[in-house]
Amino acid sequence: MVKPTARSTNLWARPWRRDPDGEMTGDGVARNEPTGLGRELRTPRAAAIAGILFALILGTVIVLMSSAFPQDAKERVAWITNASGRGSVALAIKLIPFAGIAFLWFIGVIRNRLGDREDKLFATVFLGSGLLLVGTLFTAAAVVGSVLLTYEEAPTISPDTLRIAEILATTLLGTFATKMAAVFTLAVTTVGLRTQLVPRWLSVIGVGCAVALLLTPPAPKLTLLVFPLWVLILSLHILVLSIRSQAPLAGDNR
C-alpha cells in the first residue's frame, strides 16, 4: 500500500489557488480549472452539500417506503388501497430522482478533488458501485411507480400483480442496492485512507456500516438508513474542514 505523502494531508481543507501562470492548483498538481460558478461547483463545500442533500432525501425515501409497506406479508398489498400509503409511495418516487442527482454530483466532486491521486482500481469500483446504486434505486422506483399509475387508471389490479411488484422493489432495495452501497462505502473508505481524504475514525465507521450492509441478507428496510447516515457524517466532516480552511484565507486577504 502506498502511504500518503505530506502533500495529501487535509485534502478537503486545501483550497484551490491560482499560480502565476493562471492555472488552478490545490493538491500540488497544476491543472486548468474553470472560474466563477464552474469552480464553486467543484469545491469540497459542493461535495458536502450534495452529500447532505442525498443523505436527507434518501433517508426520507426509506422512511416513507417502510411506513407504506407493512412488515406483515398478509398486509403488504394493503398500501395500494390506502390513500395515505399511496401518497407516501408517490412522494418517495418523486424524491428518488433528486437523490440520484445529488449522489452523482457527490461522486463527481470527490473524483475531481482526488485528481491524480485517484487509484484506478478503487476508482473504478467507487464509480461503478455508485452508478449501479443509482440505477437500482431508479429501477425500484419505476417498478412501484408503474404499479401506482396502473392502479389509479384501473383500481381492479390483481393482488398477485401488487405482490410481485412489492417483492421486486423490496429485493432491489434490500439486496442489490444494499450490496452496492456497501461496496461504495468500502471503496471510498479505502481511497480515503490512502489519500487522507477520510479520517481514521470515520473509516472505521464506514467499514462497520459496509460489513453490516454486506452481510445482512436481505437487509430490513430501516437498515438501509445506515448508508445515508454514513454519507451524512462524511459530508458534514467535509463541510467543517472546508469552512475551517477558508478562515485563514479570509485573514490573509485583509
Side-chain angles (χ1 to χ4, degrees), residues 4-62:
T5 63
R7 297 170 66 181
S8 66
T9 304
N10 294 329
L11 185 60
W12 289 115
R14 180 172 289 111
W16 292 106
R17 300 177 184 274
R18 186 176 297 278
D19 64 10
D21 296 329
E23 293 183 334
M24 301 300 299
T25 60
D27 53 2
V29 180
R31 65 186 69 188
N32 293 321
E33 288 287 337
T35 59
L37 180 61
R39 177 187 174 188
E40 291 298 324
L41 293 177
R42 288 167 167 80
T43 61
R45 181 171 295 185
I49 294 175
I52 292 172
L53 288 176
F54 165 76
L56 295 178
I57 295 174
L58 182 59
T60 302
V61 169
I62 294 173

Side-chain angles (χ1 to χ4, degrees), residues 101-114:
I101 294 171
F103 190 59
L104 291 177
W105 202 271
F106 178 71
I107 294 174
V109 177
I110 289 180
R111 294 194 65 199
N112 182 76
R113 195 61 173 177
L114 286 173

Side-chain angles (χ1 to χ4, degrees), residues 2 6 10 22-23 28 32 40 42 47-48 71 80 84 95 108 128 186 195 205 208 211 217 232 248:
V2 180
N10 294 329
E23 293 183 334
N32 293 321
E40 291 298 324
R42 288 167 167 80
Q71 296 296 326
I80 197 69
S84 178
L95 290 176
L186 286 175
T195 61
I205 296 176
V211 171
L232 179 62

